[in-house]
Amino acid sequence: MLNIHNLSVSFSGELLFKEISFRLKGGDRVGLIGKNGAGKSTLLKLLAGDLESDGGTIAKEKECRIGFLRQDIDFEMGRTVVEEAELAFVEIKALEKEIEGINHQLAERTDYESQSYHDLIDKLSDVTHHYELLGGYNYQGQTEKILQGLGFKPSDFGKLTETFSGGWRMRIELAKLLLQSNDVLLLDEPTNHLDIESIIWLESFLNTYPGAVVIVSHDKMFLDHVTNRSIEIVLGRIYDYPKPYSEFLALRSEIIEHQLNAQKNQQKQIEQTEKLIEKFRAKASKASMAQSLIKKLDKMDRIEVDVEDGSVMNVRFPVSIVPGKVILELHGLSKSYGDHSVLEDINLLLERDSKTAFVGQNGQGKTTLAKMIVGELKASSGNIKLGHNVQIGYFAQNQAEYLNPNKTVLDTMIDAANETNRAKVRDILGSFLFQGDEVDKFVKVLSGGERNRLALAKMLLEPFNVLVMDEPTNHLDIASKNVLKQALSNFEGTLILVSHDRDFLQGLTNKVYEFKDGSIKEYLGDIDYYLTERQVADFRAIEQKEKPKEEKKKTDKQDYQRQKELKSLNNRLSKIESRIGDLEKKIADQDHELLMNYDATAANPKFFDSYQNNKKELESLMSEWEKVSSQLD
């Protein structure tokens, strides 16, 4: 479908990637991964034809259609949800107009016996047949099915798109893309605005999609469930493996480890050969042998280790002043939107230094309560009382959207700074990986992750001792998520986190509030305690709608069988890992023996036989480990 050959791109003289090559074919579901700013979104824009490369080619098959889910969308006002989604059917809509026009002509004419009248009837027949072939009689049902899969209710179909938030408009854009007959789908962060139900539906859709899919996402579970191939962009190069994300990480780490060991062994050979060259050079009778060894060294292919980008942001959230013991109190708090009640009679008390998680299905009021706490929304009834000296820092779910796209990174920070911290702006930007000329970039050219990093940096210019964060990990790469988690773990103030990311929440909070049916329930423990109490493994099980009883019984039986299989596989995996550990120790000892006493060991054939057998067995066990791990996944 697509053949990318020696593609190179640079911005302002800085190379983004150089001479990368890969192919896409039907059935490929590629996870495009890498650090924020590595070039993932840029590569999607190149594949979609939105940008031109500095060199190389992108060749596509004739009539290959490419669909691209962009992060920045612009809707015309005045269209309903269904009308906007049905823009996907350009050709069908054109045929509808043509059929309408022909029918109008036929209704006005009375020359039923004329040739032109019969020609018009023939034309109507041809156009109607073409309309039917394109799915003209099915597209409306298909549109409604996909909209519902992405979370829209039938009552939403007739509402104007401008009445929906940016996240819901992104869902409409995704629906349009899925309704088109594209051969290649390019999806940039498709799950950022989806709830669990919609994510699971999208996973199912993509797993049966016959074309090629390229996905940029930082949702590890989504990548594992959908992709069958991973392409990582690292410092201008790509690493392409036919594995989903988690398997790719394990394989990539293993490959680098093997490369390091091979490089170490080769370096020993080189040093040994160089010693022999120096030794033979001193003797005239051995000069030719020395020259032969020099040529051998010159011809040797030096083993290179795949590069890894270890740069991470350096975040610390300082506490402004110590507040009173009680941070906030909520009494009888309720919030409604028209006739729709989101929260009813909420009572809550948070004390200083508490670490709290808000969890639950989308639309249950987590973000609504967070916005009321920080003063962005007013309650329908009840009141919120803030404690003494409370200063709140707030990171909204769409925080990056508040940044001015026409300002540079540096100007964004300087304009938000005051006299006391303006001198620290460049230091703060540097800790968030905006260094050198990068501070002169305009916000509009930043990737989603870079915008989130800038929004986080901007937060540090305001004093706070209470931190409220709503889905702060959206758009952040895995390394940045880990750094942010560490910074929040070290934060000495009061923390409120709205998130559905279990990995991120683990170890961060000591209290959980579950939002459901307009009320909240308190769990006095961390996120693992909460999930144990709810008797589920992860948020997906909680955030999915309740299943019918019959389906639940069937699922329970399947789960029991799966648990038995998992127990057997885990036992097998444990034995394999134990044997791998033993072999690795043996090989390490043999490597040490080679290093310390090369001549003696080199003269012992049994030593090398044992050494090679151990390596072969290790390689075989690694393959078996990968196979069992795959079955566990």
Side-chain angles (χ1 to χ4, degrees), residues 469-618:
M469 306 194 87
D470 189 0
E471 300 291 359
T473 60
N474 278 357
H475 295 292
L476 290 183
D477 59 54
I478 310 301
S480 297
K481 278 187 186 182
N482 293 336
V483 172
L484 177 60
K485 180 175 178 175
Q486 187 60 50
L488 293 177
S489 181
N490 295 333
F491 178 56
E492 294 178 354
T494 305
L495 180 65
I496 299 174
L497 275 176
V498 180
S499 179
H500 64 264
D501 188 332
R502 177 183 179 175
D503 289 339
F504 182 71
L505 286 176
Q506 275 180 322
L508 276 184
T509 62
N510 51 32
K511 187 185 293 183
V512 175
Y513 284 99
E514 181 182 25
F515 286 63
K516 189 175 181 182
D517 298 330
S519 62
I520 61 174
K521 184 176 180 180
E522 183 182 62
Y523 292 82
L524 296 174
D526 64 5
I527 203 67
D528 289 332
Y529 169 79
Y530 160 71
L531 291 171
T532 301
E533 286 293 297
R534 293 285 269 107
Q535 297 183 340
V536 292
D538 54 44
F539 285 137
R540 287 190 166 215
I542 291 166
E543 295 181 25
Q544 278 183 266
K545 296 184 178 77
E546 290 293 327
K547 295 179 180 178
K549 286 185 179 179
E550 289 303 315
E551 187 180 346
K552 189 175 186 302
K553 283 180 184 176
K554 185 179 176 182
T555 305
D556 289 345
K557 188 175 179 181
Q558 290 171 341
D559 286 347
Y560 174 73
Q561 293 297 330
R562 179 60 177 157
Q563 289 303 320
K564 285 179 68 178
E565 291 172 16
L566 288 175
K567 187 176 180 181
S568 173
L569 287 169
N570 275 313
N571 289 338
R572 188 173 161 199
L573 192 68
S574 179
K575 289 177 182 177
I576 293 170
E577 287 174 344
S578 177
R579 179 58 183 156
I580 286 173
D582 292 340
L583 279 172
E584 286 178 334
K585 187 176 183 307
K586 280 184 182 179
I587 292 169
D589 290 340
Q590 289 173 322
D591 281 336
H592 181 73
E593 200 174 337
L594 269 171
L595 179 64
M596 301 305 294
N597 197 1
Y598 180 83
D599 291 332
T601 51
N604 182 1
K606 287 185 178 180
F607 174 88
F608 274 103
D609 287 343
S610 170
Y611 187 60
Q612 292 302 323
N613 288 337
N614 285 339
K615 284 197 162 187
K616 283 179 183 177
E617 186 181 353
L618 179 61

Side-chain angles (χ1 to χ4, degrees), residues 411-428:
D411 288 342
T412 298
M413 291 289 285
I414 288 174
D415 291 348
N418 54 44
E419 290 181 5
T420 60
N421 56 27
R422 192 164 285 123
K424 298 178 182 177
V425 161
R426 283 187 178 270
D427 289 337
I428 293 172

Side-chain angles (χ1 to χ4, degrees), residues 78 117 127 158 329 349 462 464 510:
Y117 189 88
V127 174
E329 293 178 80
L349 186 145
E462 296 291 333
F464 54 83
N510 51 32

Side-chain angles (χ1 to χ4, degrees), residues 266 270 273 291-303:
Q266 187 186 62
I270 290 169
T273 305
Q291 288 300 315
S292 175
L293 289 171
I294 290 170
K295 288 179 182 177
K296 181 183 175 182
L297 273 185
D298 290 340
K299 290 179 181 179
M300 183 182 289
D301 288 330
R302 303 296 171 109
I303 295 169

